[in-house]
Structures are given as structure tokens and as C-alpha cells.
Amino acid sequence: MYPQPVDYDDALRWLLTLPDFERTGDFAARPDLAPMRALLAQLGDPHLGRPTVHVAGSKGKGSTSVMCEQLLRAARLSTGCYVSPHLHRYTERVRIDGKPADRGAFAAAMTLVRAAMDAVAPRFPGRAFLAFDALTACAFVAFRAAAADVQVVEVGLGGLLDSTNVFDATDVVVLTPISLEHTAVLGGTIAEIAAQKAGIITPAATVVVAPQRESALDVFRAAAGERRATLVEVAAVCRMTRTSASADGQAFKLKTPRATYAATLALAGRHQLDNAATAVVACEELAARRGFPLTAQHVRDGLAAVVWPGRLEVLKRRPRVIADGAHNGDSAKRMAAALRDDFGIERATFLFGTLAGKDVQAMAAAVAPLADQVVVAAWPHARAADPRPLVDAFRAAGVPATAFDDLPRAYEAAAAVAGERGAVVAFGALAFVATLREYLLGIESDIIRLAAGAPPVRDPRVQTGTAI
């Protein structure tokens, strides 16, 4: 029996009992997705019955997903969008019509998932459901309850054995840029990682591929050919011209095989234009397959509405504080280029925090030409890297670096070094960026609220067992 009325915090407390790679590093290897498919079957297959855009990649998949969501909303479709990780609250992952699901809807969906998981688990002895399995199923149940016209689904980790890879047929598959990530799980080369991502390609799908390294493209071409999927390579079929750029965003012209657009995007960095082009092509392809209009005005309105915190986000003006979830060498290079080109920053103080096992040397090399100093912070996360070895990596790159034992002290030290006229650039793990946002903006996260023993958040209108 579950509590009545449905309690959001109780749903989270149960969720936190499940193995969670993002939060703790707990990872349950899986030979197949049979338990996940059985869970969804128990729930009535809520993932089926609506057009789907399925997005995988190493970089830019979250940005591309929310761009697709906003483009489809501008085309007058009701949307569900599943993204990860969240910054502060779990509801951020389950987006309904461009906004996080309300807590009551999230809790009601998660309660049904919990009951279904309890029913299914005995059929798979020795297999563990993950928190990400529960969140994925929760999203699909919430999309069904909201009667979403279309869904955009971002892969969590990899692709082939990801909890979201439960579709036998998909309208559009999107593959964003591939880089080295999670090598212990996904493989040690670009080609091996690309093969994992290509696992979401379904027969006869349209596969939209963002600008890629050739080694990844070779894998995607082969996989699409084997499954008789149509491959659309954005770099080959599109022409993009950036017409203006600043810290507040950028304007551009885009020519695709179907149309020409002029639009603005309130996100900095040339890499976001690649994401925008990929999203536009993906939505064009979905519109062509499903027979709905996608006009130039839809594209302008949709991209203008994109808001995506923690990605080259300005948190303060004096000193200027910019936060970016650049979590590997490639992402850090793109961040550094955007700092120069869009923000006009030639020198900055960097505030850094990352997860254990990341390629800190590559990130240090990327920011070294811009760094006056790097302040490395310890921060409250089960997977946070010890700051002391990180200092050595930055010093080896020729950058003065110091470590602090907590994030507030580290930030205040970095701000003091930068001065009112300088810039502090915080980067590393997205969870690190989230922690800084909470400190600077006074945001209370779900985890902080639960740890503090705050009164549970209840929605008396929603009862356990409500059909959704």
C-alpha cells in the first residue's frame, strides 16, 4: 500500500533507494532491456502511441532536445520532453509543454511506476532496477496522462542498453557529437562509443546526424545502412551563417534542404548553432513524416523561446560570473572559444569542480590560455573528485591553482581574485554548476530539502491509483 494522498517527497525518498549512477556511481550492468520493457508493459506501454524524437550523443543532446521541444511547441503541438540530469529538482527531467511537470503529476506517475516495479521485479531475480529506469517510466506515464501529441526523449548513458531504448520503431533518431566519455562503460574509442549511441537506430527511422568526427560518422552510416534507416548528415546538407553574437545570444541564417530560416537563439557559443541546425532538421523530418506544418515563423518562435540554464549562463554581472557544464576536453574547448568570441573574455579566473574519473588534463589544457588562476573546490556530491590532485593537473598546464574544502569559500576566493571588473568562469560537472547556482541564487534543491527534513510537499487532488 502506498500513502494517500500522493506525496512528492515520499516518491523521491523511494527513488533515492534505487541504484543511481548519476548520484552515487552505483551501476548495475545489464545484458538486455527485458526488465525495462516488462516494466513498461505492466504500465500499459505508456511510451507508445505518439511520434518520438530520440536523441543520443556525448555533447549537446540536452540542448538539442529542448530545442526540438520548443520548435514542436511553436508548431502548435503539445509536447513531452524527457531530459537528464536535472539541476535542482527531479521534475525538471519530465517536461510537459516546455515546463517541468508539477509535483503532483510527477508523484502520481512515480507511484504507479513503483507499484509496477514491485510487480515485475520478482520475474527478474538478480537484476536490479535503477533510478533512471524509474524516472524514464515516470516520464512516459506523465506524457500519456498529459495526452502529449509528440515526445522528445534524451538518452541517459550510451544508447544500446539505455533505459530509453525501448522503441521498436522511431520516427526520428538524432545523434549529437560524440567524444570520449564514460569509457569504462561505453568503450575507449570514438568508434566504440558511437556504436553504443547507434544502438537507438530503429529500422526505417530517419537518422539526423549532427556534425561529427569521421570515425563516428562511419559507424552511424554503417548502422543506418544495416537497419535501412534514412541518414541525414547536417554538415553535408545545411549551410549556417552566424550574423551576430554576444553574451546574450546569437542570430543566424540557416539553409536546409527544405527551407531557409533567419532566427535568434538566447544561448551563447557556436556549438549551439550546430545544435540548433540539428534540431531544425530533426523537426523538419518529423513534420514530413507525420504531415504537420513547420514554418519559418515556427522556427523563429521556437528557437527564441529556448532557455537552458547552466550552459554558458551569466549568473552575476559584477564580477561577471559565467557557469557552464563543460565536462570533458572537447566541451571545455568549445566553452573557451565561446568565452573569447561571444563574451570578449581574454583572461578569467576559473572555478572548477568535477566528478571522479574525468579527463582533467584535457580540460586544463583547454582553459589554460585564458586562465589567470584556477580555484578548485570540494563540493557535496558522492562522486565529486578530490580537489587536491586536480590542482596538480592545472599546475602542470602552467596555470596557478589552489584548492578549497568547500564551494562557498572557493567561490568567494575566485571572486576576490577576479575583482569587480573581472570574470569568474565556473565549469566542470553540471552537478557542480547546479551547486553553485544554489549558493548564488538561493535555490533549494530537492536533495537539500529532503536532507533538512522539510515538511513534505503534498497535492491533495491526486490519490494513489489515479488512472493516468
Side-chain angles (χ1 to χ4, degrees):
M1 294 296 294
Y2 299 118
Q4 295 187 6
V6 171
D7 182 301
Y8 176 70
D9 287 353
D10 280 351
L12 294 187
R13 290 187 186 98
W14 170 75
L15 183 67
L16 295 175
T17 68
L18 300 178
D20 189 340
F21 179 73
E22 288 176 27
R23 194 170 55 85
T24 65
D26 293 338
F27 182 76
R30 52 179 57 176
D32 55 47
L33 289 166
M36 187 66 197
R37 285 180 174 268
L39 173 63
L40 292 173
Q42 183 74 20
L43 290 162
D45 288 326
H47 59 305
L48 304 180
R50 67 192 69 87
T52 300
V53 178
H54 201 181
V55 184
S58 302
K59 303 188 302 292
K61 58 191 170 85
S63 299
T64 303
S65 294
V66 297
M67 289 179 192
C68 287
E69 172 195 41
Q70 293 294 357
L71 288 166
L72 295 169
R73 289 191 67 238
R76 305 295 185 265
L77 297 173
S78 62
T79 59
C81 183
Y82 178 52
V83 293
S84 60
H86 63 282
L87 287 175
H88 312 295
R89 301 183 180 100
Y90 279 91
T91 52
E92 296 167 21
R93 297 171 180 249
V94 181
R95 295 164 61 96
I96 306 294
D97 287 333
K99 297 180 181 179
D102 70 68
R103 287 166 162 172
F106 181 97
M110 190 61 79
T111 299
L112 293 183
V113 170
R114 179 178 177 180
M117 197 173 282
D118 286 348
V120 167
R123 293 160 46 189
F124 298 93
R127 300 285 293 272
F129 278 112
L130 309 178
F132 194 75
D133 296 333
L135 287 160
T136 301
C138 174
F140 291 136
V141 171
F143 297 163
R144 180 177 63 189
D149 294 326
V150 62
Q151 62 191 6
V152 181
V153 180
E154 180 192 354
V155 166
L157 176 65
L160 180 63
L161 295 175
D162 185 73
S163 307
T164 66
N165 194 23
V166 289
F167 301 99
D168 296 322
T170 314
D171 290 275
V172 176
V173 167
V174 177
L175 297 167
T176 68
I178 305 302
S179 62
L180 293 176
E181 55 155 351
H182 302 299
T183 53
V185 177
L186 301 180
T189 68
I190 294 294
E192 288 174 333
I193 294 171
Q196 289 289 321
K197 310 292 186 181
I200 72 168
I201 297 175
T202 56
T206 299
V207 183
V208 177
V209 182
Q212 298 279 350
R213 301 180 190 192
E214 197 65 27
S215 55
L217 274 175
D218 289 342
V219 173
F220 296 152
R221 290 165 180 158
E226 290 169 5
R227 293 159 214 173
R228 297 183 180 180
T230 301
L231 196 73
V232 181
E233 297 179 23
V234 171
V237 302
C238 293
R239 186 165 67 246
M240 171 75 76
T241 304
R242 184 157 79 159
T243 55
S244 67
S246 72
D248 297 320
Q250 48 198 323
F252 62 93
K253 292 181 180 178
L254 171 66
K255 181 176 176 53
T256 75
R258 297 182 186 273
T260 299
Y261 308 97
T264 60
L265 187 66
L267 297 174
R270 287 182 180 272
H271 58 286
Q272 293 291 8
L273 297 188
D274 288 343
N275 295 335
T278 303
V280 170
V281 173
C283 291
E284 284 182 335
E285 295 299 324
L286 184 66
R289 288 176 69 109
R290 290 290 180 157
F292 64 85
L294 184 74
T295 68
Q297 189 63 51
H298 294 153
V299 169
R300 284 193 294 273
D301 292 346
L303 292 180
V306 173
V307 176
W308 199 222
R311 284 75 175 179
L312 287 166
E313 180 186 17
V314 178
L315 299 180
K316 289 186 67 177
R317 297 290 178 180
R318 299 181 73 86
R320 186 154 53 161
V321 178
I322 301 161
D324 188 65
H327 62 281
N328 60 27
D330 285 346
S331 295
K333 288 178 183 177
R334 291 184 173 203
M335 176 189 72
L339 292 173
R340 292 191 192 94
D341 296 345
D342 297 3
F343 291 83
I345 292 174
E346 296 296 333
R347 306 293 295 177
T349 302
F350 286 85
L351 178 62
F352 182 71
T354 191
L355 302 175
K358 297 295 184 179
D359 187 353
V360 180
Q361 287 77 16
M363 289 186 273
V367 303
L370 295 178
D372 285 325
Q373 184 167 327
V374 174
V375 179
V376 182
W379 51 293
H381 193 286
R383 295 172 57 203
D386 182 338
R388 289 164 294 187
L390 307 184
V391 166
D392 295 336
F394 284 100
R395 288 175 178 169
V399 181
T402 55
F404 285 83
D405 59 5
D406 69 79
L407 180 55
R409 289 184 61 221
Y411 167 75
E412 298 301 339
V417 171
E420 281 202 358
R421 296 182 178 276
V424 175
V425 178
F427 80 109
L430 194 59
F432 174 73
V433 167
T435 305
L436 179 63
R437 291 181 94 250
E438 289 160 11
Y439 172 66
L440 290 180
L441 305 180
I443 297 170
E444 182 182 62
S445 71
D446 279 336
I447 297 298
I448 290 173
R449 192 187 67 258
L450 290 175
V457 178
R458 299 179 185 274
D459 187 336
R461 298 167 296 173
V462 183
Q463 302 291 324
T464 298
T466 300
I468 61 176

